[in-house]
């Protein structure tokens, strides 16, 4: 077994047994990046020196005989929309191409304090707006299962880094599915925590009322360790909950006998790829075999989630992205002769087409005379969607569905049709609107491409979702690393 | 709801985006399609529904009035695309 | 004839220690861009956390202006682009201001006026721009970005420029009294805008509203409004039409000029600020804020006149300076006759303060000491001249006036036999003056009193000296 194939708990054990040093672990992953990233293009920035320094600090700590946090020495990748002091934070946008923040996001601080080794910053759809990383201003990240296909998005770089063994754990952000959908496309575990469980401080905001940071990992256990490290109250984020009722001490292998599982009929309707539905149905059978009680439920407002999301998210985004004006930091257009021009030229040249499209959409939805028809209406429908889940969770413990209607699609297939691109997140929007947690994990393959199973739970039920996912994972034991196509060596 | 290129232009001005004629046409078409899709919301009766702006209801998150360290002037200045002494510089603003 | 309706919008910087959404200092005078952090620079990823004291100041301001305080409220984003607005939106309050439906009362030429307060809301300040015309550059300093502001909006109840000025003075007095803002209009911690419209007397609809900005002083407010009333009246009476405009007061040319026409009204795209949570102001919090509001100036003035017998003029003077009024109350509470205390405070003590450039809070002679001094004077233990002479020393040293008088031997001589000796010596030493007196030069008596005072080193009680001298001199004449 090669070092890059190990998961976090294996590396932790290896470090403690002195099978290898943290530096060796970091080097193995940096080498893996060097070997594979020409093709995969997961990273925007690789921070080799900082990574080795962090690894050395872990080794020093170990040689002093200090206890290691389970994440100590674990190589992690960070989506490039989370601020890192002294390291470029680009959001994969020309607007922030050379922006070096003077502060670090709380989530990154937490990982670093646990001793995790940050390898670099990963590619995303510009400002996290997209479902394929094709909206990155720099390059498109490729799916390790098929380089012709997208890895999903917006956290595509982070998903690929973990799927391809470039990193053990990675951070993503999920506004409408941006962790779960790429996790599904890349065959790994991705968790979107309950809104307010994980600090947003230092995450470049897309839609403030929907954004959450969460982990990618190849195993449920790794994801659980990472999530526990990320969770917790942050006094710098007013929307961060104090004393979240999540009991991290519960065992993952508690089992799911008697767990009430709801299967919402709306998530198995038209528009879903039959092979995907079939895979998910089979996964549900596994849950049944493990002792879960399966029942069909209804989330009647499911079909309204997409329009609701595409009003609320762009509206908030249009305001969140107003700060990018070329005045104090970031990209500034040349040749402006007055401030009006400076701002509009910088924004027009600094943002890509999808970001502009969403800013336009959001500006329109908030503008005089349209607020009630769009933003106001969407806020009300959001209440109905939330109510659907409240009703459902009075009957069942968790809800299962496909994570995405399809498997990974071909690069370029949807770029000219925004609406079809938006459909890629059809199964994931509602969770963000309701603020509840959800997790995606691999439940099989269709023509060699991974299929994602989505588990949704009520607020702060992360432990239950992880236990259910763990039970499934331990039963089906699917492969965790892809066999690369397109001539990639499995070095 | 169909957006005309002129309406697109007005929205773009509000958002401080300069669009070419071409872009105006394209956005008009794409945004109209998306807005058309939004119309399905109108079929829902929401008269008695109160809006949700946050999924979770926290209240009164406050900090004490204590001064904490700012960034250094050097850190602030190093971010700026253009400087003049200790100030951030931009092309002239016409008041109003 | 035309009537005028004026509504005022006043922005006050609150005197919290830190900014409204971050921990940066609000102090004046720091080097440019040295009081800024990711939050108040609007760096990507930063988030606001609300300053509790700023909320309490806004609540107090609302209460002091007789407003209803919202039991639950929230913040909204006001979206517009401007280089000194770091996030492209201002965090403000749109449909749920902290205070609403209040009023303020004040006197204009002896008549009580009441002006409705439409709303009081909390928001954040912007950075500062400096325009360099020659270099065609604008320079920005973000030290003020994120300083808490309250905006106070009146109903259009103000009828003249003089009333507008009185309103602002009354508002400033209250806000200084409750210590939420230092209200320095010249330094920019108090900023005024006026909305003005005129209508023919008796007509029910007001005309087109004009907004006037950039008014940098109280006098400027009065002048700008006078100018604008005249301009609009002339325009309308000559058959013209008032256009909806935002105008700017040009202080050097003493006129208003067009800033922008209001044809395309701003579209601020307000929506609830998702980075902040709901703000609930329950009764216990409200009562705590209420309990911290001192007696307001108007009520205090009335009480001074009614209960303490102070003249309206002195009451005005005392109350105008909250710290002085506080001091006065302390002195009066210790039993000093209020009128006597008021006289001394407003004339002698104030003179000492001015000379030494001291604030009343810095004076070492506290209320008890001052009260002691008043007892010495009113009991005749020392003369008022002596008291005036030593006041400066007492203000700086803080020693007890009684101890000081004793130590320096300054107590007044009221023993007739002692004074008699000085009187006799003075008559003996000054034959020329005595001769003058005898020929009827009345001024000679004053001169002789002076001689006695000199001999007694100022301690002889002047009334006694006068009596004794007259007795002696007249006796000799018989
Ligand atoms: Zn700050």
């Amino acid at each position: 077994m090669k070092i890059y194939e190990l998961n976090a708990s294996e590396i932790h054990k290896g470090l403690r047994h002195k099978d290898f040093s943290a530096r060796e672990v970091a080097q193995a992953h940096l080498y893996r990046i060097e070997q594979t990233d020409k093709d995969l293009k997961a990273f925007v920035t690789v921070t080799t020196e900082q990574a080795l320094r962090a690894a050395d600090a872990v080794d020093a700590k170990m040689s002093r005989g200090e206890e290691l946090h389970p994440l100590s020495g674990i190589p992690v990748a960070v989506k490039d929309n989370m601020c890192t002091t002294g390291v470029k934070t680009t959001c994969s946008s020309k607007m922030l191409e050379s922006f070096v923040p003077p502060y670090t996001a709380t989530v990154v601080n937490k990982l670093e304090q646990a001793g995790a080794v940050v390898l670099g910053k990963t590619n995303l759809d510009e400002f996290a707006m997209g479902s394929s990383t094709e909206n990155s201003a720099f390059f498109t990240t490729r799916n390790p299962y098929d380089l012709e296909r997208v890895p999903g998005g917006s956290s595509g770089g982070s998903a690929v880094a973990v799927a391809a063994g470039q990193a053990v754990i990675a951070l993503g952000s999920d506004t409408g599915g941006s962790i779960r959908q790429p996790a599904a496309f890349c065959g790994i575990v991705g968790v979107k925590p309950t809104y307010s469980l994980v600090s947003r401080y230092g995450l470049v905001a897309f839609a403030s009322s929907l954004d959450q940071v969460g982990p990618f990992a190849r195993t449920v256990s790794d994801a659980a360790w990472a999530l526990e490290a990320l969770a917790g109250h942050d006094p710098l984020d007013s929307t961060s909950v104090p004393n979240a009722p999540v009991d991290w001490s519960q065992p993952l292998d508690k089992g799911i006998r008697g767990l009430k599982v709801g299967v919402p009929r709306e998530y198995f309707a038209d528009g879903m790829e039959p092979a995907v539905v079939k895979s998910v149905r089979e996964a549900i059978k596994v849950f049944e075999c493990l002792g879960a009680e399966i029942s069909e439920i209804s989330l009647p407002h499911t079909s309204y989630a997409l329009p609701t999301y595409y009003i609320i998210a762009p509206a908030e985004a249009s305001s969140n992205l107003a700060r990018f004006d070329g005045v104090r930091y970031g990209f500034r257009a040349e040749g402006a002769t007055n401030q009006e021009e400076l701002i509009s030229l910088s924004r027009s040249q600094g943002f890509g087409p999808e970001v502009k499209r969403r800013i336009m959409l959001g500006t329109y939805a908030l503008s005089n005379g349209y607020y009630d028809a769009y933003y106001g209406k969407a806020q009300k429908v959001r209440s109905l969607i939330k109510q659907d889940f409240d009703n459902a969770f009075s009957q069942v413990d968790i809800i299962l569905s496909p994570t995405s209607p399809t498997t990974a699609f071909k690069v370029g297939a949807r770029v000219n049709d925004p609406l079809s691109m938006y459909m890629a997140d059809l199964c994931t929007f509602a969770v963000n609107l309701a603020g509840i947690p959800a997790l995606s994990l691999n439940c099989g393959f269709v023509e060699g491409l991974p299929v994602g199973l989505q588990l949704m739970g009520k607020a702060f039920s992360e432990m239950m979702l992880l236990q259910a996912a763990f039970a499934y994972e331990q039963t089906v034991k699917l492969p965790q690393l892809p066999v690369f196509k397109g001539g990639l060596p499995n070095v | 709801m169909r957006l005309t290129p002129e309406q697109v232009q007005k929205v773009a001005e509000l958002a401080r985006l300069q669009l070419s004629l071409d872009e105006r046409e394209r956005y008009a078409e794409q945004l109209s399609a998306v807005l058309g899709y939004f119309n399905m919301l109108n079929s829902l009766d929401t008269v008695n529904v109160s809006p949700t702006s946050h999924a979770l209801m926290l209240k009164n998150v406050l900090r004490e009035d204590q001064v904490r360290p700012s960034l250094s002037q050097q850190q602030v200045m190093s971010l700026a695309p253009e400087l003049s002494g200790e100030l951030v510089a931009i092309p002239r603003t016409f008041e109003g | 004839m035309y009537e005028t309706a004026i509504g005022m919008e006043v922005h006050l910087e609150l005197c919290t220690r830190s900014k409204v959404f971050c921990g940066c200092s609000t102090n004046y005078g720091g080097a440019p861009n040295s009081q800024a952090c990711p939050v108040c620079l609007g760096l990507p990823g930063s988030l606001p956390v609300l300053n509790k004291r700023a909320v309490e100041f806004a609540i107090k301001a609302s209460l002091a202006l007789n407003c209803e305080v919202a039991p639950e409220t929230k913040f909204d984003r006001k979206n517009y682009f401007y280089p000194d607005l770091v996030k492209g939106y201002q965090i403000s309050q749109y449909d749920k201001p902290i205070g609403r439906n209040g009023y303020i009362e004040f006197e204009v030429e002896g008549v009580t006026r009441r002006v409705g307060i439409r709303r009081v809301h909390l928001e954040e300040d912007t950075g500062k721009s400096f325009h360099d015309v020659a270099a065609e550059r604008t320079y920005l300093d973000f030290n003020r970005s994120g300083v808490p502001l309250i905006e106070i909006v009146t109903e259009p109840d103000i009828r003249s420029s003089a009333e507008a000025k009185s309103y602002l003075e009354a508002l400033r007095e209250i806000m200084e009294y409750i210590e939420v803002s230092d209200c320095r209009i010249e330094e920019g911690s108090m900023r005024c805008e006026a909305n003005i419209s005129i209508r023919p007397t008796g007509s029910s609809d007001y005309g087109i509203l004009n907004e006037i900005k950039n008014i940098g002083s109280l006098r400027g407010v009065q002048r700008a409004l006078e100018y604008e009333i005249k301009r609009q009246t002339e325009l309308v009476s000559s058959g013209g039409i008032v256009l909806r405009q935002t105008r700017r007061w040009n202080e050097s040319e003493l006129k208003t000029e067009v800033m922008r026409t209001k044809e395309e009204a701003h579209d601020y795209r307000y929506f609830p600020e998702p980075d902040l949570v709901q703000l609930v102001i329950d009764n216990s919090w409200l009562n705590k804020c209420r309990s911290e509001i001192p007696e307001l100036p108007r009520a205090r003035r009335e009480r001074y006149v009614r209960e303490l017998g102070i003249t309206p003029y002195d009451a005005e003077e005392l109350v105008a300076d909250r710290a002085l009024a506080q001091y006065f109350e302390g002195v009066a509470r210790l039993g000093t006759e209020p009128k006597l205390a008021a006289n001394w405070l407003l004339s002698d003590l104030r003179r000492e303060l001015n000379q030494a450039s001291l604030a009343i809070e810095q004076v070492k002679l506290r209320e008890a000491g001052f009260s002691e001094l008043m007892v010495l004077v009113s009991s005749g233990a020392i003369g008022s001249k002596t008291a005036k002479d030593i006041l400066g020393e007492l203000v700086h040293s803080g020693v007890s006036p009684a101890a000081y008088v004793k130590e320096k031997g300054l107590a007044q001589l009221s023993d007739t036999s002692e004074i008699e000796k000085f009187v006799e010596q003075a008559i003996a030493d000054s034959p020329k003056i005595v001769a003058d007196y005898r020929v009827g030069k009345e001024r000679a008596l004053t001169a002789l009193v002076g001689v006695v005072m000199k001999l007694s080193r100022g301690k002889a009680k002047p009334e006694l000296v006068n009596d004794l001298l007259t007795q002696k001199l007249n006796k000799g004449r018989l």
Side-chain angles (χ1 to χ4, degrees):
Chain A
M1 202 123 183
K2 302 182 181 72
I3 287 182
Y4 74 78
E5 292 176 304
L6 303 176
N7 60 40
S9 36
E10 289 160 346
I11 292 175
H12 183 61
K13 205 181 291 169
L15 287 172
R16 282 179 33 191
H17 293 167
K18 308 253 182 335
D19 297 340
F20 37 72
S21 65
R23 176 172 262 263
E24 283 167 331
V25 173
Q27 278 170 332
H29 286 87
L30 288 165
Y31 183 65
R32 177 75 177 160
I33 294 170
E34 208 183 296
Q35 290 293 304
T36 57
D37 214 45
K38 288 189 294 291
D39 294 303
L40 294 172
K41 294 181 161 60
F43 283 83
V44 175
T45 305
V46 179
T47 52
T48 305
E49 278 170 41
Q50 288 100 316
L52 292 176
R53 230 180 296 138
D56 289 345
V58 171
D59 286 332
K61 215 175 154 183
M62 227 172 7
S63 65
R64 290 194 301 269
E66 290 176 37
E67 262 311 291
L68 285 192
H69 186 281
L71 294 183
S72 282
I74 305 300
V76 301
V78 175
K79 188 179 182 181
D80 206 19
N81 63 348
M82 299 175 207
C83 288
T84 41
T85 305
V87 176
K88 273 192 312 180
T89 299
T90 67
C91 294
S92 292
S93 177
K94 187 177 173 189
M95 188 58 95
L96 293 177
E97 195 167 1
S98 52
F99 174 64
V100 179
Y103 78 108
T104 298
T106 300
V107 281
V108 178
N109 264 333
K110 286 193 167 202
L111 287 187
E112 286 179 339
Q113 257 148 38
V117 173
V118 177
L119 301 172
K121 309 290 292 289
T122 60
N123 195 29
L124 60 146
D125 286 295
E126 183 177 4
F127 286 104
M129 296 178 184
S131 310
S132 65
T133 76
E134 289 165 293
N135 295 332
S136 166
F138 308 142
F139 41 76
T140 298
T141 301
R142 301 296 172 135
N143 192 311
Y145 283 92
D146 180 351
L147 295 179
E148 297 296 306
R149 290 178 187 267
V150 301
S154 67
S155 314
S158 280
V160 168
V162 170
Q166 297 174 324
V168 179
I169 285 165
L171 295 186
S173 65
D174 191 317
T175 306
S178 281
I179 291 174
R180 289 158 288 156
Q181 184 256 17
F185 281 15
C186 295
I188 57 173
V189 180
V191 187
K192 196 297 272 189
T194 306
Y195 185 82
S196 80
L197 181 67
V198 175
S199 168
R200 293 186 295 117
Y201 190 77
L203 166 71
V204 179
F206 163 11
S208 311
S209 76
L210 305 169
D211 297 342
Q212 269 292 284
V213 173
F216 287 102
R218 290 190 297 271
T219 68
V220 174
S221 160
D222 282 9
W225 278 119
L227 184 60
E228 183 180 349
L230 295 172
H233 179 243
D234 180 4
L236 298 176
D237 176 359
S238 305
T239 63
S240 146
V241 72
N243 314 313
V246 180
D247 181 4
W248 300 107
S249 69
Q250 280 190 41
L252 270 185
D253 58 0
K254 190 173 168 234
I256 56 169
R257 188 154 298 281
L259 188 77
K260 293 190 193 120
V261 172
V263 179
R265 70 177 75 95
E266 292 81 3
Y267 282 74
F268 296 82
D270 298 347
M272 310 302 256
E273 214 172 84
V276 167
V277 169
K278 187 163 166 277
S279 267
V280 172
R281 292 266 185 219
E282 279 164 16
I284 292 168
K285 283 211 188 78
V286 174
F287 276 78
E288 196 168 10
C289 291
L290 290 170
E293 297 166 17
I294 314 292
S295 61
E296 192 181 78
I297 60 162
S298 172
L299 297 166
H301 295 96
T302 297
S303 60
Y304 300 101
L306 186 144
T308 302
Y309 175 86
Y310 271 101
I311 292 170
I312 291 173
E316 292 182 10
S318 72
S319 175
N320 283 331
L321 270 61
R323 69 191 62 203
F324 302 108
D325 57 5
V327 173
R328 297 162 310 283
Y329 54 81
F331 174 75
R332 178 183 287 195
E334 288 184 16
T337 55
N338 61 57
Q339 58 102 353
E340 287 269 327
E341 231 175 69
L342 174 85
I343 295 176
S344 57
L345 282 178
S346 299
R347 290 169 62 77
S348 304
Q349 296 171 19
F351 290 138
E354 180 61 20
V355 172
K356 286 188 209 173
R357 189 154 39 229
R358 298 211 195 176
I359 290 175
M360 298 278 294
L361 198 54
T363 303
Y364 181 74
L366 289 173
S367 66
N368 216 342
Y370 299 102
Y371 182 96
D372 289 338
Y374 292 105
Y375 193 74
K377 182 80 180 183
Q379 297 269 45
K380 289 180 166 189
V381 178
R382 187 175 180 180
S383 305
L384 296 175
I385 290 168
K386 192 167 179 290
Q387 233 168 60
D388 279 358
F389 282 107
D390 290 343
N391 293 339
F393 288 123
S394 68
Q395 304 158 41
V396 299
D397 301 315
I398 68 169
I399 296 172
L400 295 185
S401 81
T403 306
S404 178
T406 66
T407 52
F409 46 86
K410 286 249 165 78
V411 171
R414 299 189 184 189
V415 280
N416 290 319
D417 183 359
L419 210 47
S420 79
M421 186 69 96
Y422 298 168
M423 298 288 183
D425 292 329
L426 204 56
C427 305
T428 46
F429 296 129
V431 159
N432 299 75
L433 292 167
I436 58 175
L439 171 161
S440 177
L441 88 162
N442 189 18
C443 68
F445 296 86
V446 171
E447 291 169 11
L449 296 171
V451 176
L453 170 70
Q454 177 171 235
L455 287 68
M456 303 172 251
K458 63 172 135 246
F460 305 113
S461 69
E462 275 79 357
M463 227 33 240
M464 192 188 282
L465 295 181
L466 289 164
Q467 285 162 344
F470 186 80
Y472 176 83
E473 177 194 57
Q474 297 302 307
T475 308
V476 299
K477 293 204 187 319
L478 290 165
Q480 289 170 359
L481 283 168
V483 179
F484 287 133
K485 290 183 182 173
L488 261 184
N490 238 344
V491 286
Chain B
M1 184 78 214
R2 271 212 74 76
L3 273 183
T4 64
E6 292 70 38
Q7 282 173 303
V8 167
Q9 177 56 19
K10 278 191 97 169
V11 176
E13 280 168 20
L14 256 174
R16 295 293 190 279
L17 293 171
Q18 289 192 353
L19 301 183
S20 64
L21 280 173
D22 220 34
E23 285 176 306
R24 260 177 252 180
E25 302 270 343
R26 187 150 24 96
Y27 280 133
E29 198 176 311
Q30 290 176 337
L31 294 179
S32 295
V34 175
L35 289 173
Y37 193 77
F38 290 175
N39 280 340
M40 70 183 285
L41 293 184
N42 294 333
S43 65
L44 278 177
D45 178 8
T46 50
V47 176
N48 296 315
V49 180
S50 56
T52 296
S53 48
H54 259 136
L56 287 156
M57 277 306 166
L58 288 170
K59 58 170 190 165
N60 290 21
V61 176
L62 298 157
R63 46 173 273 271
E64 293 302 320
D65 183 23
Q66 278 160 359
V67 174
R68 307 195 56 102
S70 298
L71 292 173
S72 70
Q73 193 193 42
Q74 165 58 28
Q75 282 174 306
V76 177
M77 307 307 290
S78 69
L79 294 168
E82 185 190 336
L83 294 174
S84 174
E86 300 172 300
L87 298 160
V88 176
I90 54 169
R92 185 169 172 222
T93 303
F94 299 100
E95 275 184 72
Chain C
M1 281 301 288
Y2 294 91
E3 295 184 328
T4 307
I6 300 167
M8 304 281 307
E9 285 176 23
V10 173
H11 286 89
L12 297 178
E13 276 188 356
L14 300 179
C15 49
T16 52
R17 286 191 269 274
S18 64
K19 294 184 178 180
V20 60
F21 298 121
C22 65
C24 289
S25 166
T26 57
N27 280 350
Y28 269 99
N33 294 308
S34 66
Q35 289 163 214
C37 72
V39 177
C40 59
L41 277 175
L43 294 192
S46 64
L47 295 171
V49 186
L50 183 58
N51 182 333
K52 186 176 178 192
R53 197 192 308 263
V55 175
E56 290 180 345
F57 281 3
I59 294 173
K60 285 187 195 177
S62 301
L63 289 172
L65 295 172
N66 307 295
C67 288
E68 299 157 14
V69 173
E72 67 189 57
T73 174
K74 65 179 171 88
F75 289 85
D76 301 280
R77 290 187 184 178
K78 179 181 182 181
N79 295 282
Y80 67 97
F81 288 91
Y82 208 72
D84 61 17
L85 183 71
V86 297
K87 299 187 293 298
Y89 58 84
Q90 180 189 34
I91 303 179
S92 181
Q93 296 188 293
Y94 180 52
D95 55 344
K96 288 185 173 176
I98 286 185
R100 69 198 325 166
N101 297 335
Y103 63 87
I104 180 171
E105 284 183 331
F106 52 91
E107 271 74 41
V108 184
E109 289 159 6
V111 179
T112 300
R113 288 282 298 130
R114 177 185 280 213
V115 168
I117 301 291
R118 184 177 290 170
R119 56 186 284 149
V120 176
H121 74 248
L122 182 58
E123 60 186 28
E124 56 180 338
D125 205 351
T126 63
K128 289 273 161 293
S129 311
F130 308 93
H131 308 291
D132 184 338
V133 178
E136 297 205 318
R137 270 355 235 172
T138 290
Y139 305 124
L140 298 158
D141 172 10
F142 295 101
N143 285 356
R144 303 316 290 166
S145 172
V147 169
L149 292 179
I150 48 172
E151 182 177 320
I152 300 165
V153 183
T154 73
E155 298 293 344
D157 293 346
I158 298 169
R159 292 284 170 269
S160 69
S161 58
E163 263 184 46
K165 182 163 174 277
S166 300
Y167 160 70
L168 292 173
E169 284 168 345
L171 181 68
R172 180 161 73 177
E173 192 178 60
I174 292 171
M175 294 300 140
E176 283 175 350
Y177 242 70
I178 62 174
E179 296 183 307
V180 302
S181 173
D182 55 17
C183 298
R184 286 188 208 139
I185 197 164
E186 280 79 11
E187 283 179 21
S189 63
M190 179 175 189
R191 286 164 233 161
C192 313
E193 289 166 34
N195 287 304
I196 174 166
S197 64
I198 61 165
R199 66 174 174 186
T201 306
S203 155
S204 57
D205 291 327
Y206 276 102
I208 299 292
L209 210 66
N210 270 230
E211 203 180 325
I212 310 170
K213 291 179 182 284
N214 198 40
I215 316 179
S217 67
L218 276 186
R219 215 158 62 114
V221 170
Q222 196 167 5
R223 283 175 165 173
L225 288 170
E226 266 158 27
Y227 179 92
E228 194 55 24
I229 293 166
K230 186 156 167 279
R231 186 188 73 85
Q232 289 191 24
T233 310
E234 281 173 6
L235 199 62
V236 173
S237 51
S238 65
I241 296 165
V242 177
L243 297 172
R244 180 173 285 267
Q245 289 170 337
T246 298
R247 300 176 70 89
R248 165 205 346 257
W249 174 241
N250 184 326
E251 189 93 54
S252 52
E253 292 183 37
L254 298 179
K255 61 176 197 178
T256 65
E257 49 201 31
V258 181
M259 235 169 123
R260 58 175 171 261
T261 51
K262 270 254 167 155
E263 301 297 293
E264 4 81 57
H266 271 128
D267 187 347
Y268 290 122
R269 289 159 284 137
Y270 282 101
F271 72 102
E273 166 58 285
D275 289 332
L276 292 169
V277 301
Q278 201 191 19
L279 184 64
V280 175
I281 302 166
D282 61 15
N283 275 331
S284 73
W285 197 11
L286 197 60
N287 288 336
K288 178 187 165 277
C289 291
R290 190 176 279 129
S291 73
E292 288 168 8
I293 295 180
E295 183 183 34
L296 293 178
R298 235 172 92 85
R300 181 166 279 190
R301 273 192 296 269
E302 283 172 15
R303 182 168 59 84
Y304 284 4
V305 173
R306 200 178 57 240
E307 292 177 15
L308 301 180
I310 307 290
T311 65
Y313 180 83
D314 282 0
E316 182 86 41
E317 289 283 298
L318 280 171
V319 171
D321 180 344
R322 184 182 169 198
L324 191 68
Q326 236 31 26
Y327 191 94
F328 164 74
E329 301 226 344
V331 173
R333 216 175 294 126
L334 289 164
T336 307
E337 211 275 303
K339 270 178 95 164
L340 178 73
N343 279 335
W344 275 82
L345 286 174
L346 290 173
S347 54
D348 304 287
L349 184 65
R350 197 140 75 168
R351 188 172 48 244
E352 289 297 334
L353 294 181
N354 288 342
Q355 274 170 14
S357 306
L358 281 176
I360 186 86
E361 296 92 329
Q362 300 165 294
V363 165
K364 292 243 175 67
L365 181 70
R366 298 317 305 167
E367 289 85 338
F370 194 84
S371 182
E372 194 177 302
L373 183 67
M374 291 298 96
V375 172
L376 291 173
V377 173
S378 56
S379 69
I382 60 172
S384 53
K385 179 154 187 319
T386 306
K388 282 175 195 182
D389 290 345
I390 65 174
L391 188 59
E393 178 61 27
L394 294 173
V395 160
H396 289 287
S397 69
V399 298
S400 139
Y404 186 80
V405 165
K406 197 171 172 198
E407 184 201 320
K408 299 278 176 186
L410 297 173
Q412 201 161 240
L413 267 184
S414 41
D415 179 338
T416 318
S417 61
E418 286 272 323
I419 298 174
E420 227 163 18
K421 283 183 208 154
F422 291 122
V423 167
E424 278 160 11
Q425 195 183 339
I427 291 173
D429 289 356
S430 321
K432 173 111 182 28
I433 306 176
V434 173
D436 283 351
Y437 181 80
R438 298 245 154 90
V439 298
K441 293 186 181 168
E442 289 294 329
R443 258 182 308 158
L445 182 64
T446 318
L448 277 171
V449 172
V451 176
V452 175
M453 292 309 284
K454 207 169 179 178
L455 288 170
S456 74
R457 292 211 212 91
K459 288 188 280 184
K461 196 174 180 180
E463 301 89 74
L464 278 178
V465 174
N466 212 47
D467 288 354
L468 287 170
L469 267 174
T470 323
Q471 267 177 38
K472 293 259 180 232
L473 291 168
N474 290 347
K475 198 191 276 173
R477 202 187 274 176
L478 287 173

